[in-house]
Structure formats: structure tokens, C-alpha cells
Amino acid sequence: MNRLPLFACLALSAVIASCSDPESAATPSHAEVTASAPERIAANFAVTQEVLTNFQGMDDEMRALCKQSGGSSAACSTYRVSLINNGPAIAADERDWVLYFHSVRRSLALLNSDAFTLERVNGDLHRLIPTEKFAGIASGETLPLDMLAESWMQFASDFQPRLFVVGADGEARVIESTDTDDLSGIVLPINKNDPNNWKRAADDANVLASASSRFERFTADDEIAKVSEQDWRGRIIPQPLSSEILDGAPVVLGAGVAIEATGLTAGSVGALEQRLSQLGLSAKGDDAYPVQVVVDKSAFAGKPSGAYRLSVGADGARITGADTDGAFYGVQSLIALVDLNSKSLPQAQVTDAPRFPHRGMFLDVGRNFHSKQVVLKLLDQMAAYKLNRFHFHLSDDEGWRLEIPGLPELTDVGSQRCFDLEENRCLLPQLGSGPKADNFGSGFYSVEDYVEILRYAADRHIEVVPEFDMPAHARSAVIAMEARYRKLKDSDLAAAEAYRLIDPADDTKYLSVQFYNDSYINPCVDSTYHFVGKLVREVKAMHDSAGVPLQSWHFGGDEAINILASGGFEVGPGKDPEKGDTSADMRDKPWSRSPQCQKLIASGEVKALDELGELYAKRVSKLVADAGIPTMAAWNDGVKKIGNAREELATEHNYVNSWAPLFWGGGDESAHFAETGFDLVQSHSDYLYFDMPQEVDPAERGYYWASRYTDVRKTFSYAPLNTAQQAEIYPNRDGHGWEATSPAPEFADSVRGIQGQLWSEVVRTDDAVEYQVFPRLLALAERAWHQASWELPLKEGQTFSAETTFVDKQALARDWAGFSAALGNKELLKLDRAGVGYRIPVPGAVVEGGALKTALPYPGLALEYFDGEQWQPLKDGVAPQAIHSLRAKSADGKRAGREVTLEASANLSVN
């Protein structure tokens, strides 16, 4: 029977489906009737999730409820989970089950039903427990459950798959219809219930992506930026210091390319030959185009590592490198000149050297695991575009991803997510992993895997920088070491306690950025440093075994010290005092009730709780230095209290990944760390975080606390030294102007490079990794290698805003046009050949004068249209009236991007 009273059905027109006629349901089979309620729910329930109201549209009563429920007084939204029973009825007395679900927004209250109790277990795992008022769910019934959530929900990826039900027998069963990473059948359109639900705030000035808005954006610089075919054929990504296309016919590579190298290792030559093979350019007999590669340091006096010269002639090419890096990069530049469609390259002269010594890409495999295969594929493309630092984020709250000899619990327990509330076998399910360890929520690299990755990277002239995130974001390690303690305590107490990461007497009540109350390791206990020392030694041994010295150790430090100093705010993902938002509900500072920390403070070694992060950084630095590792790195949170890095840290070199959004003062953060003696790797989240959406479209995947969109051009426009100039080019996350001021010229001396980041909270699969990273990685490589003419010199005190006109925007447009033409006409096909599933852009389109006009952010891709029955190639002269929707194809024509419906835009009216 219907569980909503009649007045509720009348009041909530959006849930009329819940008043369905149970007589219309199919007659259940005998097996279905005899199955338990959890079995029937798992097998037969469909689920939809939808946003009802984002907080920008909430009334005062709802805001008060938000505050009363423990959320921010101004930041809550409402959403609905609808349970659709497509099987036999679940009777009122069948209450021996619990429904678990994931929500990256902290769900605070169940609004429209007293049939369930809502609880948050830990992190993003929530559950609904039937109460005595549960009246069953009839066959054919839709039961809507409306919930209040902290913060906003603007993209479909805010929702998670794999809801599951647990019965009295303790067995967890995934609701089969939700056991997928394709959310298109689960999440209803964000704007379904309110056309403004895509907005974060009432004054949100962003433009919702549509066919017409995309057309306007993609064609804005058409009059400025005309690129000839010769220009894009000769454009190398990343752009060299100088290049000249010579007279003479292009070189046809019908027999492939033969490399004759002296000075390069066999592994590096093999890596280059692998790339040639991927692209169909392997040497075929004596007629292959000869490429001579040599190393000659004497010819490059005063030039940085990686410098080279390239000469391409009709009869062969010669590459001279300042060192092996330069020789390797010279071959990559020759390949960059190749047009695969014609299998030719122009004759050219190139002189080149890198801008920065650190040209990095970061991959988070802690939140969700990513396979060794996609890591190797990423390394291939990093090498192709001359990126040379792979920042490997190997642990986080949700997973430990590297085997450590002697500590098997780290991978036996810490790398697995399954349903075990005691967490003896695995971590709790998180981030849509559900109750089973059969998806990317679980996994790890063996010692052998890691050694293979190290060697593979070294052959491609890439340094692997391992990171194990501590003292915050360390729950996987904490839980694993507690499982180890329980296993050993009765047989060998000393061994059980040797690597514990907590003070067992600490009853501090805190809530981390990701909603955990047990995710911090304790910096006041000696066993913490025994653990870190063990970790350093074992990872160093892996590097030694690979023949690849461990040069840099990244200890993490992400989102720890700022939370400590603020008093432990309850915050949402990507949402903390550092990121511009705070919550009304205050908790204890981490470690504030730890007897060991109180003892340490009483001893005078530290004066207060907010010095514990500094203490941790110093002690880890000593362990790293003692292991003979020259460089230590951290996210800026982890070393914010260090006053002088050169004096206070034991490691010879120290750098900071400066990540704060520029419009929230990220440039000032970078300047502060330069002043305190740190080198900088510019990693600003609003330009260089590839987990941000690629356009303002709820169908895109991504977190968006730093940026509502970061497309290829936005990353391309980033000025790593004078970041203040970005205020003139792009608005803040809400589409409004902001101001920033340049530091002194000497600031540039502290910048060792830039780095792109992919955090994986909503990136569950390898395919999703490739979609998020590519082709943005190529724009990252451009800025890391090449300093553009439109980047302004540092002038201390110069202030930029949307109203200033210091930046030569026409020069930026021309530079982008050359880059995007090379990207679209040459490089995307190379990504296709390498099996990289890059994001295919969504086209822009308008109808003018009765004709359809289309645009893409980079040229060279084919379009096709849907005529109501089938997809067809878009050709000149197709009547707009015949076109239902458009989409772009990949460069090789084998994949299609997301479609855009013409009727979605008033400018596309064909009436």
C-alpha cells in the first residue's frame, strides 16, 4: 500500500509516483516470496537520487533547521533518494535490515519520514534504520526519502553508487541496480526540481554551459587568432625556446623512424621505440628515416638539464642533448612535429631548454585505487610532453596502496574496503565502493609493482616522488595498525605497540575535513616515528632494488595544521577555514585530550597544541635526512608554522606544494613560503586541480570548491610566477572579479616548478582518470616548459583585477590558437593511438540566418548529428530543423563525446 498520506501526495507533486497503484505490479514468483527482505531489496529495488533545493534557494525556516542539525547556518541543500520497489512487497513487520548509502555531503536529517532513523557511520557512510513506524514498501511503490545535507550539490558526481542493505544475518548485499559507476540511470538532472540548482549562491555569475554559450566562448577570439596549416604543423607541444620551419618538402615517414642513439640507456631507447610503435612509426627496413641522437655537454655551457638541439632534414635528423634528459626530449620534439594523418613532418631547426626543473603530475590512488596499467600509461604521456616528476599519492583516509614488508596489515586491511563495522578485515566502505572489495575502492601495488613503476618512470626520465599523507588523512594507516595491535597484543605486546599511531587514552572529539573522527596519527607518541622510520627505510629499499635512488620524500601534511589551529571545525569535502568556509559546530582540537600530548606540552618541548604539526614536520625531516634522502616536501598545510625551513628542518632541500585557490590568497600563500625558505611547486587548485569540472555543466564530474570549471584553456592561461595576473583573466568560482598583488621579483628564485593534480574522491575508474587528466595535461606541460610572451614580469605591489588591462590578451589569444590547433589537428590522434580516453569536447552551436554554425575549443574533430533515428556526419547544408542534437567524435573517429541538444538554447530555435 502507499506509505504517504493523501495530503502529502497532494503537497509533494514531485513524488506522485509514490502514490502508484500496487495492483499494477507483476505477480511475484515463489522464489521471490520466500527470499528474505534484504535479498528482495537487493534484487528488485531501483534507486534514483536527485537534488531538490540548493541552499541559494532555501527559506529562513530551512536555514534554521540546517543550523539546528549541525550544519552551517547558510549552507545546506536538500536531496531525495527514491526507493522504487519493482518486486514483491516488503511488509511492515520486515524491519530486520539496514540501508547503507554514501554521501560526500554530510547528511544531517531525514525530512519527510519517521519510518527510518538516519545515522552517519563515519566518513561518507550513512545508514537508514527502519523504525516501528515503518509500514512496508508495496510492490510497485516509490518511497521518496528527503534529506537535509550540509553544503551544496551542483554536479551529478556529488552522488555515489552502490547502496547496500544488511540483514539480521550480517550479510551485506549491494542493490544491484546501483552496482555501477555509470550514474546516468541513478542521478536525475540537477536542474529537474529547480532551474537554478546549478548555482552555488544566489548571486552566482557563472554561465551555465549550453550550445550557444559554448559557441560564444569558443569563437570569442576568432578575429584575433588565425592559425595557418603551416603554423600548426610546425607547432611543438610544449613550445620550444625557438623553432624554425625550413623550406623544403615535408619528410614522409612511410618506412617509419630508426633511432641511432649514443648516450641514452637501453631503457630510454626502448621507451622511445615503444612510443614510435604506438603511433605506427616503427622502423621498417633500411628505408626508415634515420635519427641520430648524441649527448654533448660541452655544446651547452650554462644551459639547464634537458636542453637540446634538433635538426630535421630531408635525409635524416640529428639531436644533440646537453645531457641524457635533453637527448630524450629532443626525440619527443621530433615526434611532436609528426602529423600522423599524413605520416610526415616538416623540415625544421629547434633550440630548446626547459623553463623549470620540476614539471609535475600528481595522482591520488588513496581515495580510489587506480591500476598499474593506467599509471604506466600516464607516465608514457608525461614523458611525451616532457613532464619529469610523478607525485604518487599512495595513502589517504580511504586506502593504503603500497605493500610494506613487515607490516602486512597495511595492505591486508588498509588497502581493502568492505562491510566490516569492526574493521578487522578491511576499512569501512567509502566513496561509492559499497560493501565488496571488487572495485576500485580496494587494491594496492606489490613491491614488485612499485619497482616496475620506478624503472618504467626512470626510463622515461621521470622521478617518482612517493607521498604517504600524514598526520591528517591517515585513517587507513591508523586502522591497519590498530588491527595489527589487536592481532598481536595477547602474544607479543611489545610488537603490538611498536607501530601504533594513536594514544589509546586520547578521547578527543574532532571531525576531519572528510568527516572522520579517527583519521589523525598522534605526533606525541614515539611509535608514530617508529612507523614513519620503518616506512622510509622500506620504500628506500624498493628504490635501491630498482636502481633508482630515492631523491624526494613527500610527507603530506594536507589539511591538518589549519584544522588544528582553527579548533577542529566540522567541514565538508574541500571545505575548511583555509578554503573560505566554517561551520557552526565546533569540536575539540585534534589531540587536545591526549595524555601523551599534554605530557609533551608540560615538558616544554612544545608550547601549545598548534605547534604539534611543526614538531611532526621536524621529526620526519630528521628521519628523511638520516636515510640519506636530500629533499622533503609537503602540502603547505603541513609546514605552515615553520619559521625558517633552512634552520628548522634537517633535510638539505625542502619544497611546498602551494595549493590554495588564487582568488582566496593562494599567491600570498606562495610568497609566504618563499620568505620562510621553502622552494615552491605551484599547484594552485583553481587552475591545476584536474578533479575540478571541465565546464559549468552538472553532467561533468568533479569537486568544485576551488573552481566551477577548469578547461584546457584556463590551465593554459596560468602564469606560474606572476599568478596575480590571473585576476585580470578569469573570475573567482562564483563568476565575480577579485584582486591580487604581485610579490617582489626575487620571488621567482624560489619557484622550482608547477604541478597538476588529480584527487580521486569522485574518480572511481581508470577511464575516469584519463577523462579528467587529458587533454588538460598538455596545457600543464606547456606552462611547465615554456614561458609565454604574455606572462608579465614581477613588479612588487602591482595589483591586478578584472578592471585592469596589463595583460596582453590578444597575445594570449594568438598563443592559445596555435596551441589548440596543434592539439586538435595533431596531438589528440596521438593520444588515441596510445589508447588514452581523453575528454572529447562538447560542441557549441548557434543558428544564424537559417544556417547552423558550430565551434569547438580546438579544431580538427568531426561532428555528427542525431536526426531522430540515427547519428550522421554533419556536413555543410544540413537544415537546422533536421538536427535534434550534436556531438563531437574523437580524432580517430572511434569514440563520441557528450551530446548537446539544440532545443536547449533559445538561440537555436528553428521554428
Side-chain angles (χ1 to χ4, degrees):
M1 59 180 294
N2 174 29
R3 298 277 39 97
L4 281 181
L6 178 60
F7 73 87
C9 285
L10 295 173
L12 297 173
S13 59
V15 299
I16 288 177
S18 67
C19 305
S20 58
D21 180 4
E23 298 302 323
S24 64
T27 302
S29 68
H30 175 73
E32 288 176 320
V33 171
T34 58
S36 68
E39 289 174 316
R40 302 200 308 276
I41 292 170
N44 299 312
F45 273 35
V47 176
T48 60
Q49 304 178 74
E50 60 185 299
V51 176
L52 297 178
T53 306
N54 261 320
F55 85 93
Q56 52 84 20
M58 297 180 71
D59 57 26
D60 291 342
E61 181 179 355
M62 194 61 73
R63 290 178 190 274
L65 178 60
C66 178
K67 184 175 182 180
Q68 177 185 343
S69 301
S72 169
S73 60
C76 273
S77 54
T78 58
Y79 72 100
R80 172 174 297 152
V81 176
S82 293
L83 306 179
I84 306 161
N85 186 1
N86 293 323
I90 305 298
D93 60 355
E94 293 184 290
R95 297 195 299 270
D96 58 345
W97 53 274
V98 177
L99 179 67
Y100 286 82
F101 65 97
H102 301 279
S103 175
V104 297
R105 299 292 182 245
R106 190 162 58 112
S107 297
L108 303 171
L110 183 59
L111 298 176
N112 67 333
S113 175
D114 56 5
F116 295 90
T117 298
L118 171 65
E119 295 180 351
R120 189 179 58 81
V121 181
N122 209 344
D124 80 353
L125 186 63
H126 296 68
R127 61 189 172 200
L128 291 163
I129 305 170
T131 69
E132 291 183 355
K133 295 185 179 180
F134 174 71
I137 307 175
S139 178
E141 181 182 358
T142 294
L143 179 64
L145 299 171
D146 295 354
M147 285 177 255
L148 181 73
E150 188 173 43
S151 194
W152 45 84
M153 307 178 79
Q154 295 172 275
F155 285 76
S157 58
D158 284 346
F159 292 103
Q160 302 283 343
R162 298 186 180 88
L163 289 77
F164 60 97
V165 60
V166 178
D169 59 1
E171 182 176 350
R173 297 173 173 87
V174 179
I175 296 180
E176 294 173 10
S177 64
T178 71
D179 192 10
T180 176
D181 290 300
D182 179 3
L183 299 180
S184 59
I186 300 172
V187 179
L188 302 183
I190 295 293
N191 294 354
K192 171 181 176 291
N193 293 291
D194 184 338
N196 289 320
N197 269 345
W198 65 274
K199 293 185 176 183
R200 192 193 69 85
D203 64 345
D204 194 324
N206 286 294
V207 176
L208 183 65
S210 66
S212 59
S213 71
R214 292 184 185 101
F215 183 88
E216 182 179 356
R217 188 166 82 251
F218 299 158
T219 60
D221 299 317
D222 274 3
E223 295 305 314
I224 299 170
K226 299 294 184 183
V227 179
S228 70
E229 182 173 329
Q230 180 175 340
D231 288 340
W232 66 254
R233 286 187 185 277
R235 179 73 178 251
I236 293 170
I237 297 175
Q239 189 171 179
L241 282 174
S242 69
S243 62
E244 179 185 2
I245 303 302
L246 305 177
D247 293 336
V251 177
V252 178
L253 304 173
V257 174
I259 298 174
E260 304 169 8
T262 58
L264 285 178
T265 66
S268 289
V269 173
L272 293 168
E273 290 178 340
Q274 175 193 323
R275 177 153 173 77
L276 290 170
S277 177
Q278 284 179 339
L279 302 181
L281 298 173
S282 292
K284 300 178 182 66
D286 295 338
D287 293 334
Y289 183 71
V291 177
Q292 185 181 27
V293 184
V294 299
V295 174
D296 184 358
K297 296 181 181 179
S298 65
F300 292 88
K303 297 296 183 182
S305 173
Y308 68 90
R309 288 196 292 269
L310 164 65
S311 176
V312 180
D315 298 323
R318 180 178 175 85
I319 293 161
T320 305
D323 52 14
T324 56
D325 287 348
F328 184 84
Y329 296 146
V331 179
Q332 297 289 14
S333 286
L334 180 139
I335 296 172
L337 284 170
V338 175
D339 171 25
L340 292 181
N341 286 304
S342 61
K343 217 169 186 179
S344 67
L345 78 162
Q347 299 184 49
Q349 294 280 356
V350 178
T351 301
D352 203 4
R355 175 185 193 177
F356 293 121
H358 185 119
R359 306 179 300 278
M361 183 63 209
F362 162 98
L363 178 64
D364 164 22
V365 298
R367 268 59 178 273
N368 282 297
F369 182 70
H370 303 302
S371 73
K372 180 177 66 176
Q373 288 69 35
V374 85
V375 170
L376 299 181
K377 191 184 293 188
L378 177 60
L379 291 170
D380 282 339
Q381 299 310 314
M382 289 177 62
Y385 299 103
K386 306 184 181 76
L387 296 173
N388 68 343
R389 296 291 189 278
F390 176 48
H391 183 164
F392 206 4
H393 184 82
L394 288 161
S395 76
D396 215 291
D397 292 321
E398 296 83 9
W400 184 279
R401 305 305 186 186
L402 181 62
E403 177 187 10
I404 302 298
L407 298 176
E409 297 81 10
L410 285 171
T411 45
D412 290 348
V413 177
S415 76
Q416 305 297 301
R417 298 209 292 260
C418 69
F419 185 71
D420 174 11
L421 294 178
E422 300 299 321
E423 296 185 291
N424 290 310
R425 296 183 291 111
C426 56
L427 304 180
L428 287 172
Q430 295 290 308
L431 299 174
S433 63
K436 299 185 185 302
D438 61 354
N439 54 66
F440 282 103
S442 298
F444 68 94
Y445 309 101
S446 67
V447 171
E448 292 76 17
D449 289 333
Y450 187 67
V451 167
E452 180 184 347
I453 289 168
L454 292 176
R455 290 173 176 162
Y456 198 90
D459 287 343
R460 287 152 182 78
H461 298 256
I462 295 169
E463 176 190 343
V464 175
V465 181
E467 179 195 342
F468 300 90
D469 204 354
M470 303 173 196
H473 288 290
R475 188 174 189 273
S476 60
V478 170
I479 298 303
M481 290 302 93
E482 285 304 287
R484 181 179 188 274
Y485 171 79
R486 290 191 295 271
K487 183 174 70 175
L488 297 178
K489 66 183 177 66
D490 293 332
S491 59
D492 189 342
L493 184 59
E497 293 179 337
Y499 299 114
R500 291 189 85 179
L501 299 174
I502 65 168
D503 176 354
D506 183 5
D507 62 352
T508 305
K509 306 298 182 185
Y510 67 87
L511 200 66
S512 76
V513 175
Q514 311 285 348
F515 313 137
Y516 296 111
N517 57 17
D518 53 0
S519 59
Y520 289 75
I521 70 171
N522 192 302
C524 307
V525 296
D526 290 341
S527 52
T528 283
Y529 303 101
H530 296 159
F531 176 86
V532 176
K534 166 78 169 172
L535 184 58
V536 171
R537 291 190 301 273
E538 295 295 345
V539 174
K540 184 175 186 297
M542 295 179 210
H543 281 252
D544 293 343
S545 173
V548 180
L550 179 54
Q551 298 291 329
S552 305
W553 183 268
H554 203 296
F555 81 79
D558 186 27
E559 295 179 323
I561 308 312
N562 53 333
I563 303 299
L564 174 62
S566 71
F569 286 99
E570 291 197 44
V571 292
K575 185 172 166 289
D576 62 32
E578 185 65 28
K579 295 174 181 173
D581 296 285
T582 60
S583 168
D585 187 6
M586 299 281 288
R587 298 288 180 97
D588 297 336
K589 293 181 180 181
W591 314 305
S592 59
R593 299 185 188 182
S594 164
Q596 292 298 321
C597 290
Q598 292 168 0
K599 180 180 177 181
L600 195 66
I601 293 170
S603 74
E605 186 172 351
V606 295
K607 296 179 181 178
L609 280 171
D610 61 4
E611 294 183 6
L612 291 178
E614 178 185 359
L615 171 74
Y616 179 82
K618 290 178 179 178
R619 288 190 176 180
V620 171
S621 175
K622 180 68 164 56
L623 292 169
V624 172
D626 288 348
I629 303 167
T631 300
M632 187 179 77
W635 300 100
N636 49 283
D637 317 52
V639 289
K640 188 169 287 187
K641 294 289 183 178
I642 298 292
N644 188 318
R646 297 182 182 92
E647 295 179 359
E648 297 179 38
L649 299 177
T651 31
E652 182 180 0
H653 305 290
N654 300 281
Y655 72 83
V656 168
N657 288 97
S658 186
W659 60 262
L662 291 175
F663 65 88
W664 273 337
D668 293 338
E669 289 263 351
S670 293
H672 162 75
F673 285 105
E675 291 167 358
T676 54
F678 286 96
D679 286 346
L680 288 161
V681 172
Q682 302 280 62
S683 307
H684 295 114
S685 46
D686 39 349
Y687 290 79
L688 301 174
Y689 272 32
F690 297 159
D691 47 300
M692 298 290 135
Q694 301 190 57
E695 64 177 358
V696 187
D697 183 338
E700 285 290 336
R701 178 191 296 105
Y703 272 180
Y704 43 91
W705 55 266
S707 175
R708 289 298 299 281
Y709 71 99
T710 299
D711 58 10
V712 178
R713 181 167 182 170
K714 187 174 179 181
T715 298
F716 179 87
S717 78
Y718 177 74
L721 298 180
N722 198 351
T723 58
Q725 75 176 62
Q726 303 308 134
E728 216 178 86
I729 304 171
Y730 282 95
N732 66 15
R733 69 173 178 181
D734 289 334
H736 300 299
W738 52 287
E739 289 188 357
T741 302
S742 297
E746 55 266 27
F747 168 78
D749 297 334
S750 297
V751 179
R752 65 162 56 191
I754 74 171
Q755 184 169 287
Q757 280 68 226
L758 180 67
W759 298 94
S760 291
E761 289 96 332
V762 294
V763 181
R764 286 183 293 276
T765 67
D766 286 354
D767 288 346
V769 170
E770 295 177 16
Y771 181 94
Q772 294 295 110
V773 170
F774 297 99
R776 291 190 281 195
L777 179 136
L778 279 71
L780 166 72
E782 179 86 359
R783 293 282 65 82
W785 183 272
H786 174 74
Q787 184 165 6
S789 64
W790 43 266
E791 293 185 56
L792 296 175
L794 290 166
K795 182 179 179 181
E796 186 171 10
Q798 185 175 29
T799 298
F800 294 82
S801 71
E803 285 72 42
T804 59
T805 57
F806 300 120
V807 179
D808 187 342
K809 298 178 183 63
Q810 291 192 359
L812 171 58
R814 287 191 296 270
D815 195 18
W816 163 253
F819 172 89
S820 63
L823 173 64
N825 286 301
K826 290 196 304 181
E827 299 309 305
L828 293 183
L829 182 55
K830 292 171 186 172
L831 293 177
D832 284 326
R833 294 279 177 88
V836 175
Y838 57 86
R839 178 184 184 267
I840 301 168
V842 183
V846 295
V847 173
E848 292 181 356
L852 178 71
K853 295 184 176 182
T854 63
L856 289 167
Y858 17 89
L861 302 182
L863 295 177
E864 59 183 14
Y865 72 97
F866 187 66
D867 63 6
E869 295 183 359
Q870 61 183 344
W871 287 96
Q872 299 190 50
L874 181 67
K875 300 177 181 178
D876 291 341
V878 175
Q881 292 87 344
I883 300 171
H884 287 234
S885 53
L886 288 170
R887 67 185 185 186
K889 301 297 291 289
S890 59
D892 65 359
K894 295 180 180 179
R895 297 185 299 122
R898 195 167 68 249
E899 65 187 83
V900 59
T901 303
L902 301 194
E903 287 76 6
S905 169
N907 289 349
L908 285 162
S909 173
V910 294
N911 295 327

